[in-house]
Amino acid sequence: MSLLVPAALALAALAVPLVALYMLRARRHRRVIPSTMLWEESLESVSSARPWQRLPISWPLILQLLILALFVLVLARPFISERTVLGPHTVFVIDISGSMGMAGRFESARDNAIELAQRASDENLISVVAAGVAPDVRVSFSGESEVVVAALESLEPGGGVADLHAAIRTARSLATPDRPTSLLLFSDGGDPERVQFDTPIVDARHLVSDQLADNVAISSLSVDVVPGEGAQVFIEVQNLTLTRTEIEGVVDVDGVPSQVFLIETEAGGRGRDAMTVEAGAGSVIEARLIDENGNDLDDGLDMDNRATGVVATAPELTVAVEGDGSVFLNALLQSTPGTSVEVDGDIVVADGMLPETFDRPTWLIRPPAPAPGLALGGLVQNTAVTYQRPGEPILDGADLSDVVIGEAQIVDGPDWLPIVSAGDVPLVLLGEVDGVRVVYTAFDLTQSNLPVQVAFPILGSRILHWLAGDDIAPPVVAEAGAPILLTGSSTETPIISRPDGSRIELRPGTILFSDTERPGLYGVSYRAADGTVRLGAAEVRAFASIESLGASQELPVTPPELGVGGEGSSIREVAPLLLLLVLLFFAIEWRMTHRRQRTARVRDDPAGHRPLVDVGRPQ
C-alpha cells in the first residue's frame, strides 16, 4: 500500500497532546457523603498535588488514538496499485447499435467502462468513441475520470446498425506518436454474416456482450392513404422465440388507440396484418406491442416493439394495364389506396410488353425487349435480392431481403438508376424515356416470390406514387442513424423535435442533422429572423430489423504488448473504507463516554432513597 499525500502523516503528532491530557488528569478517591454543608467554608484546595500522573490505559484512550490514526491515514490517501487493461492512452469504443439493447448488454458494457474509468490513474488518458451508424468522438485524451464517466453516462443504445469498421478507424486516428494507444471494444461484435474483419484488430481487446432473451418485434410498418376512408396500415411482426406465439399490439393515431391487432407467428417466423384507420394527412401512426394486460410489452429488446409512420397526402390515381397482366398485379392495383384501373389511365403498367410510345409514366415489367436507353446482356437464373439503395423513398418500409427470383434479365444503362439488385445484376431501375418517368422491373412477377411478401403492396404503392410525381411522395422513412437533410435558408434557425419530446435548435444554415440514432418521428421547423416559424417535412427513423436478432460474435484482436500500450496499473483508494471505520469508532467511543459520565453522576443508595452526591478528594 502506498500514499498519495504522505506529508499528512505529520498530523500523527496530535497524539502527543492527547496523551498529555490524560496524564494531567487529577486522580481522586471517591466518597459518598450525605451532605456538603460541612465543606461550604472549607478553604482546602481541590487541585491535584501531583498534576502529572502515570498514563492510565483505558478503552476511551485507545479508541481516541485509533480514531486519530485512521483520520491521519484518510488525509494521507492510501491506495492499492492494481493491474488494469488501461494503457497510457486507451480508446473506449462503445457500441450503441440496436442489438446492444438486448437483455441489458449495453448497461453491462457501460457499467464496465465506467468502473474502469473511475479506477484510472493520472498516467491513463482515455478517449471515448460512440460506435453507431456513424462514429462520434465524445471525449479525447482526458485524464479526468469525471469527464469520461459523464460522457459514458450520456450514451444510450440507438436503433441503427453500428459501423464498427468506421468506429475502429476513428479510434485509430486518435493515436499520437508520443503515447502508445490501445483499444477497448465494448460491443456484441454485430452479425457475423455482415461484420467481418479480414485481419485481427491490432492493439485491441474485445469485451464481448452476448446476453440473449426471448424477443418479438415489429419488423415493418407502412402507411398509405385511402381517399375518403383514412389510412391503410401494413404491419409485419417477427417472432424470435422458440415457440409459436400470438403477438398482440395496438395502432395509435396521433397518440389515441385506434385498433388492436393479433398476429399468429411460428417459432422464428413472421406474420402480417393490414387494417384501415381513421386518419388524415399528417397524422402520426404508431404501432406498439402489448402484453396480455394491455401494457407495453417488456421483452428482451424493447426498442423494436414500436414503429412509427406518417399519413401522406395523395390524390387518386388512375392506372391503365397493358400486356399479359396477372392475378398478383390485379390484386396489387385493387389493394393500393386511391388507385383505380381505367383504359386511359394517367399511369401505364406494361406487363410483359414494350409500349410503342411513352406518352405517360410507365411501369415496365419484364418486357421482351429492353426500354430505350437500356441494353440486354442475357439472363440470370435462380437469384436473390442482395442490395436495396439506402434512403430511396420508393423502398420505404419495403424489406426485399427474402425475395428470390427464378429468372431475370441482365440489363445495363448509364442513365438509369438501379435501386434493387442481385449482386451486380439490376432488378429494378428508375429512368426516363421521352421525358416521362419509367420504372423497369427485369423479372416477371410470377417467376418470383415477391407477390407473397409483405413488401409487395408497399413497393407497388411506392412505385405508382413515384410515377405520379414527387409532390405525392410519402414522408421520408429511413433506418435510425440516417441524417436528416435540412432545407432552410442561411438565415433560418432549424428546430428539431426528437422522439423523446425534447427540442434542439441548430445554428442557422445547418444542412444536416445527424443525431438520429433513436427510432421515431423527427419534426422539423424553421424560425426566421423576425421570429416567424414555418413547418418542414417530418421524417421517420425506423429500428433496423436486422438488429432484432441480437446476433453477436467475438471479434479477432491482437492484444497490446505488456508495458507498451497494454496492461498497466491503476490505483484504488481505500480512504472511503477508513472514513467509515473512523465514524464507527467515534460512535463507539461517544457511547462509552456517555454511559461512564451518566453512571458517575448519579447512583442510587441500596435502600432506594434519593441519590447521594458523589464527591472526591485529591490523592
Side-chain angles (χ1 to χ4, degrees):
M1 181 182 295
S2 302
L3 302 175
L4 291 177
V5 190
L9 294 179
L11 293 176
L14 293 175
V16 175
L18 176 62
V19 171
L21 288 175
Y22 270 84
M23 296 179 67
L24 282 171
R25 288 182 178 179
R27 298 179 59 189
R28 303 172 184 273
H29 292 290
R30 297 188 178 276
R31 298 288 186 270
V32 178
I33 63 174
S35 174
T36 61
M37 293 179 62
L38 297 176
W39 290 358
E40 288 181 355
E41 301 298 329
S42 174
L43 298 177
E44 180 182 358
S45 173
V46 296
S47 61
S48 175
R50 291 186 298 169
W52 290 98
Q53 307 295 330
R54 183 178 180 181
L55 179 64
I57 304 300
S58 63
W59 279 112
L61 174 60
I62 294 174
L63 287 173
Q64 289 168 12
L65 290 174
L66 186 57
I67 290 172
L68 177 62
L70 291 175
F71 185 70
V72 170
L73 276 178
V74 168
L75 296 180
R77 297 180 62 186
F79 68 90
I80 300 173
S81 181
E82 299 177 332
R83 299 197 70 83
T84 178
V85 293
L86 299 179
H89 176 219
T90 306
V91 183
F92 288 4
V93 180
I94 313 294
D95 190 344
I96 59 171
S97 64
S99 59
M100 285 295 287
M102 170 72 71
R105 292 180 183 180
F106 181 78
E107 289 75 12
S108 176
R110 182 175 58 186
D111 291 346
N112 194 1
I114 289 175
E115 181 181 0
L116 287 172
Q118 290 174 333
R119 293 164 52 186
S121 67
D122 295 338
E123 299 177 353
N124 305 130
L125 297 183
I126 298 177
S127 299
V128 177
V129 174
V133 175
D136 182 17
V137 179
R138 299 297 180 93
V139 173
S140 57
F141 302 102
S142 177
E144 301 179 13
S145 60
E146 296 82 2
V147 174
V148 177
V149 169
L152 293 171
E153 290 178 340
S154 68
L155 295 177
E156 291 183 353
V161 179
D163 189 343
L164 292 179
H165 289 273
I168 291 171
R169 287 195 299 269
T170 300
R172 292 278 184 230
S173 69
L174 296 174
T176 59
D178 61 328
R179 185 176 286 264
T181 297
S182 59
L183 274 58
L184 271 183
L185 310 177
F186 299 87
S187 170
D188 55 20
D191 188 347
E193 296 184 0
R194 295 181 298 110
V195 181
Q196 297 180 356
F197 288 84
D198 297 332
T199 58
I201 307 169
V202 181
D203 293 338
R205 287 183 175 85
H206 181 202
L207 305 181
V208 64
S209 302
D210 55 4
Q211 300 94 320
L212 281 173
D214 286 343
N215 184 44
V216 295
I218 298 176
S219 54
S220 179
L221 174 71
S222 177
V223 180
D224 283 318
V225 178
V226 181
E229 297 183 28
Q232 190 171 38
V233 181
F234 296 92
I235 300 171
E236 181 185 65
V237 297
Q238 189 172 11
N239 176 13
L240 299 170
T241 70
L242 300 177
T243 59
R244 181 184 180 88
T245 303
E246 286 187 340
I247 301 177
E248 185 176 4
V250 176
V251 174
D252 297 336
V253 178
D254 293 328
V256 178
S258 176
Q259 289 195 36
V260 176
F261 60 88
L262 186 64
I263 305 175
E264 277 196 19
T265 56
E266 299 292 339
R270 303 190 183 203
R272 303 166 184 85
D273 196 3
M275 63 195 72
T276 301
V277 298
E278 294 184 4
S283 293
V284 178
I285 307 296
E286 183 178 50
R288 53 188 174 89
L289 302 184
I290 59 176
D291 58 22
E292 61 274 9
N293 298 319
N295 301 318
D296 288 343
L297 184 64
D298 183 13
D299 60 1
L301 182 56
D302 293 338
M303 203 174 298
D304 60 7
N305 294 340
R306 291 174 176 263
T308 305
V310 179
V311 180
T313 57
E316 294 189 6
L317 304 177
T318 58
V319 179
V321 179
E322 299 180 1
D324 299 335
S326 69
V327 63
F328 303 117
L329 183 58
N330 293 335
L332 169 67
L333 297 176
Q334 292 174 6
S335 64
T336 301
T339 301
S340 60
V341 178
E342 298 182 6
V343 175
D344 296 323
D346 297 326
I347 298 172
V348 174
V349 178
D351 186 13
M353 66 162 294
L354 186 67
E356 295 182 0
T357 60
F358 289 84
D359 55 357
R360 290 166 291 176
T362 304
W363 181 6
L364 294 176
I365 302 176
R366 200 192 186 286
L374 288 175
L376 181 62
L379 300 175
V380 60
Q381 309 288 332
N382 299 323
T383 188
V385 172
T386 60
Y387 169 80
Q388 294 181 227
R389 184 170 182 263
E392 174 55 53
I394 291 179
L395 302 176
D396 285 347
D399 182 7
L400 306 178
S401 58
D402 294 331
V403 174
V404 293
I405 299 163
E407 182 181 86
Q409 296 173 331
I410 301 175
V411 295
D412 182 44
D415 298 327
W416 290 71
L417 175 65
I419 61 172
V420 180
S421 302
D424 296 331
V425 179
L427 298 176
V428 180
L429 303 93
L430 308 181
E432 286 190 1
V433 176
D434 297 335
V436 299
R437 294 185 174 189
V438 177
V439 175
Y440 193 96
T441 303
F443 60 92
D444 191 336
L445 298 179
T446 60
Q447 295 187 8
S448 72
N449 66 345
L450 175 60
V452 298
Q453 300 289 320
V454 70
F456 181 54
I458 299 172
L459 178 63
S461 174
R462 298 288 186 261
I463 288 176
L464 295 176
H465 283 174
W466 183 80
L467 290 172
D470 286 335
D471 55 324
I472 61 171
V476 174
V477 179
E479 283 190 356
I484 295 175
L485 178 63
L486 303 175
T487 59
S489 68
S490 59
T491 60
E492 289 181 314
T493 300
I495 303 173
I496 308 295
S497 298
R498 293 183 283 197
D500 60 0
S502 62
R503 291 162 59 87
I504 181 172
E505 293 190 7
L506 308 177
R507 289 183 299 178
T510 302
I511 299 176
L512 289 178
F513 177 70
S514 302
D515 186 14
T516 60
E517 293 283 350
R518 189 177 185 88
L521 179 68
Y522 288 80
V524 181
S525 58
Y526 302 93
R527 187 178 65 236
D530 59 2
T532 59
V533 177
R534 67 178 180 89
L535 293 179
E539 297 201 14
V540 174
R541 292 297 176 263
F543 187 89
S545 60
I546 190 66
E547 296 295 294
S548 296
L549 298 174
S552 63
Q553 64 172 325
E554 187 169 353
L555 300 177
V557 297
T558 300
E561 295 181 8
L562 185 63
V564 180
E567 291 187 354
S569 62
S570 67
I571 62 172
R572 181 187 292 273
E573 292 195 43
V574 297
L577 177 60
L578 295 178
L579 188 58
L580 288 177
L581 290 176
V582 168
L583 296 175
L584 175 62
F585 290 142
F586 181 81
I588 295 174
E589 194 275 339
W590 178 87
R591 179 65 176 169
M592 292 179 62
T593 304
H594 180 71
R595 290 185 62 183
R596 238 175 110 245
Q597 291 175 349
R598 185 174 59 183
T599 303
R601 285 198 195 107
V602 180
R603 293 178 181 172
D604 292 332
D605 63 4
H609 298 144
R610 67 179 179 84
L612 301 178
V613 180
D614 183 9
V615 300
R617 297 182 60 191
Q619 182 179 6

